Amino acid sequence: MTESRAFPRFPAGFVFGAATASYQIEGAAREDGRGPSIWDTYSHTPGLVANGVTGDIACDHYHRYPEDVALLRELGVDSYRFSIAWPRIVPDGSGPVNPKGLDFYARLVDELLAAGIEPAATLYHWDLPQALEDRGGWRVRETAERFAEYTAVVAGHLADRVPRWITLNEPWCSAFLGYSVGRHAPGAREGRGALAAAHHLLVGHGRAVEALRAAGVREAGITLNLDRNLPATGSAADRAAVVRADTQHNLVWTEPLLAGRYPHTEEETWGELITGQDFRRDGDLALIGQPLDFLGINYYRPIVVADAPHREPDPALRTATDNRYAEVRLAGARHTAMDWPVVPDSFTDLLVALKERYGDALPPIHITENGSAEHDEVSPDGAVHDRDRVAYLRGHLTALKAALDAGVDVRGYYVWSLLDNFEWAFGYGKRFGIVRVDYDTQRRTPKDSYHWYRAMIAAQRD
Ligand code: FCB
């Protein structure tokens, strides 16, 4: 086992946690009154998810949550970030509330509290009730209102026991992978529709923050997947491509949330797709920019960006992600099983740059996801010696500590993920867990990375 002096040392009170999401682990897709979500529809559509798998059973966490909480307790984490499945609570997206759905999360929360673990709940980790998608999904403003109603129900039930609340997880994925690239549910490939979705997600966030405040929660925030975009070369064209990538990935969220404005680079990024839009209303920026108790950031990798021609020359067919840039493979870096480059320094740089840009307007940060998918193998002794994942975690926690030392106010870190799980369009082939899941038997096996993380957390308390 690694010696404790090799561990980065964090300030007293720093929160260590682990994260999961409902559709990726729960299974029990048709149990206890749960309604269908867009991910049920997407995964059951042939050809969209690798190997045709679905989240119908996943890690069967819905039935096995006591065992999973025991794993968290043994790991020694301070906090567990999970998400609540909207279609378990409001199966049709609006109308009657399903008490059995609320009961499940109440039981989970009680189990966590009994184990001495603080629950951190995400309200939307992408499983939109299908009934709402049928009425336009995030393209329409009504969905933001339904989200606020659902939030009020859940917070009314759990606010006394859940201190930390996250409205949305990675709205970039919901808006752009979901409504422009088509690689996430609902699988649309649109221009204006995706930009309207991005805006309505932000409006939904603002309305949900109001509902959380009304319920008296201790901490309310949002989780963004912010990217560190690097130019492929020093050319003016590649640097301009980075501006467009930054706008589409980062500024579309951080400018309204933290600076009360829309990005001034949006016209050069989206052209006619954004000019003349009709989905923004007076008062939206004030709603979206309400003060937050924390900003959640999910970070995995840097992105190298090069200028590229429009893939779709016909403006009428252009999607919101056809922004004249392309991702380039980073030479010389190790790549994970997702083919993502491992560059811990860019994690530090991202956080320091965010602080430089927003200064005192930047709330305290929680890293709500960080981790890696690796080509895990089960050894003859039954263990998983996932050395690459340990190196990834060590490198990124060290890089995070460097950001703290540089003056960035980071309060917590959640590893993604506690369990191997349903990795969206990649299915079960990509394993991010620090605990292995055998999907035939549902057996859980802590990997070496679990033991490393446990020792790292324990070393903080020496
Ligand atoms: C993030 C998601 C999470 C998981 C990781 C690998 O984008 O929030 O659900 O899929 O990536």
Side-chain angles (χ1 to χ4, degrees):
M1 194 47 61
T2 328
E3 286 176 52
S4 65
R5 67 169 175 275
F7 296 127
R9 189 103 196 167
F10 287 83
F14 190 87
V15 172
F16 287 99
T20 63
S22 48
Y23 190 72
Q24 295 181 276
I25 65 165
E26 285 179 359
R30 278 175 288 275
E31 238 174 281
D32 289 343
R34 179 185 177 280
S37 81
I38 55 174
W39 269 99
D40 295 285
T41 309
Y42 189 88
S43 65
H44 280 269
T45 307
L48 296 183
V49 173
N51 299 317
V53 296
T54 72
D56 285 3
I57 299 173
C59 306
D60 196 31
H61 170 80
Y62 191 78
H63 301 114
R64 292 168 197 263
Y65 71 88
E67 183 185 346
D68 295 335
V69 173
L71 283 164
L72 288 162
R73 192 189 47 224
E74 181 60 27
L75 183 58
V77 287
D78 306 295
S79 180
Y80 171 55
R81 174 181 178 233
F82 60 97
S83 83
I84 295 173
W86 185 349
R88 282 198 199 283
I89 311 298
V90 191
D92 294 324
S94 61
V97 170
N98 173 29
K100 288 186 173 172
L102 285 171
D103 285 353
F104 169 67
Y105 295 105
R107 289 197 306 275
L108 172 63
V109 163
D110 288 344
E111 190 88 11
L112 289 165
L113 294 173
I117 299 165
E118 265 194 354
T122 305
L123 286 155
Y124 186 68
H125 202 126
W126 309 347
D127 36 8
L128 182 72
Q130 181 62 43
L132 293 182
E133 179 57 30
D134 296 342
R135 298 212 288 271
W138 288 107
R139 298 175 195 85
V140 300
R141 202 172 179 98
E142 189 213 325
T143 299
E145 293 309 310
R146 300 291 83 79
F147 183 56
E149 288 165 11
Y150 147 73
T151 299
V153 169
V154 177
H157 208 69
L158 295 174
D160 56 335
R161 284 168 287 170
V162 176
R164 186 166 302 126
W165 292 79
I166 295 161
T167 55
L168 305 175
N169 176 70
E170 302 192 358
W172 184 84
C173 295
S174 302
F176 295 111
L177 291 183
Y179 290 93
S180 177
V181 182
R183 283 294 286 154
H184 273 191
R189 294 179 54 77
E190 299 173 16
R192 295 285 289 277
L195 294 176
H199 186 68
H200 294 138
L201 282 153
L202 285 169
V203 171
H205 156 79
R207 297 281 290 113
V209 170
E210 289 178 335
L212 292 171
R213 298 282 180 227
V217 305
R218 196 181 82 191
E219 288 178 35
I222 185 172
T223 280
L224 305 175
N225 54 318
L226 297 180
D227 283 323
R228 180 86 184 146
N229 298 301
L230 308 167
T233 72
S235 75
D238 284 352
R239 287 204 309 269
V242 166
V243 171
R244 296 193 295 276
D246 265 340
T247 305
Q248 197 233 111
H249 283 271
N250 303 333
L251 302 180
V252 64
W253 316 110
T254 56
E255 289 290 281
L257 285 165
L258 304 177
R261 60 184 176 231
Y262 300 111
H264 72 273
T265 46
E266 61 182 17
E267 238 181 280
E268 65 191 269
T269 303
W270 287 297
E272 68 288 346
L273 293 180
I274 194 76
T275 48
Q277 56 69 36
D278 53 4
F279 42 78
R280 290 173 179 166
R281 295 198 187 154
D282 289 350
D284 282 356
L285 281 173
L287 177 71
I288 296 165
Q290 289 168 81
L292 298 175
D293 301 305
F294 67 93
L295 175 66
I297 296 178
N298 294 351
Y299 175 83
Y300 290 91
R301 57 160 173 166
I303 296 183
V304 183
V305 169
D307 186 39
H310 266 302
R311 284 184 297 272
E312 178 48 72
D314 179 352
L317 298 176
R318 232 170 249 168
T319 69
T321 41
D322 183 16
N323 300 133
R324 292 167 288 137
Y325 66 81
E327 271 186 57
V328 178
R329 195 178 163 86
L330 183 60
R334 184 180 84 78
H335 285 68
T336 69
M338 296 293 282
D339 210 22
W340 292 350
V342 180
V343 190
D345 284 354
S346 90
F347 189 20
T348 316
D349 297 344
L350 172 90
L351 294 168
V352 169
L354 201 62
K355 173 77 190 166
E356 276 166 9
R357 183 174 188 110
Y358 292 107
D360 293 341
L362 185 66
I365 290 169
H366 278 274
I367 303 306
T368 39
E369 288 180 26
N370 174 247
S372 72
E374 303 293 350
H375 300 286
D376 295 337
E377 276 172 32
V378 182
S379 297
D381 62 356
V384 181
H385 301 300
D386 54 340
R387 238 177 257 119
D388 287 339
R389 185 175 291 105
V390 170
Y392 181 99
L393 295 178
R394 184 201 305 280
H396 284 79
L397 278 159
T398 304
L400 179 61
K401 180 61 186 2
L404 267 85
D405 292 343
V408 186
D409 183 4
V410 186
R411 307 273 174 96
Y413 173 93
Y414 293 78
V415 68
W416 182 271
S417 178
L418 175 68
L419 303 169
D420 288 340
N421 60 46
F422 177 81
E423 179 49 31
W424 310 110
F426 295 95
Y428 295 99
K430 305 292 181 202
R431 293 177 175 270
F432 274 92
I434 58 171
V435 174
R436 181 178 177 88
V437 175
D438 177 327
Y439 295 110
D440 294 329
T441 62
Q442 291 295 345
R443 179 145 181 249
R444 274 87 164 128
T445 305
K447 305 178 190 176
D448 282 5
S449 53
Y450 172 99
H451 299 297
W452 180 85
Y453 191 46
R454 180 172 182 269
M456 208 268 328
I457 295 169
Q460 308 296 317
R461 293 163 189 158
D462 285 350

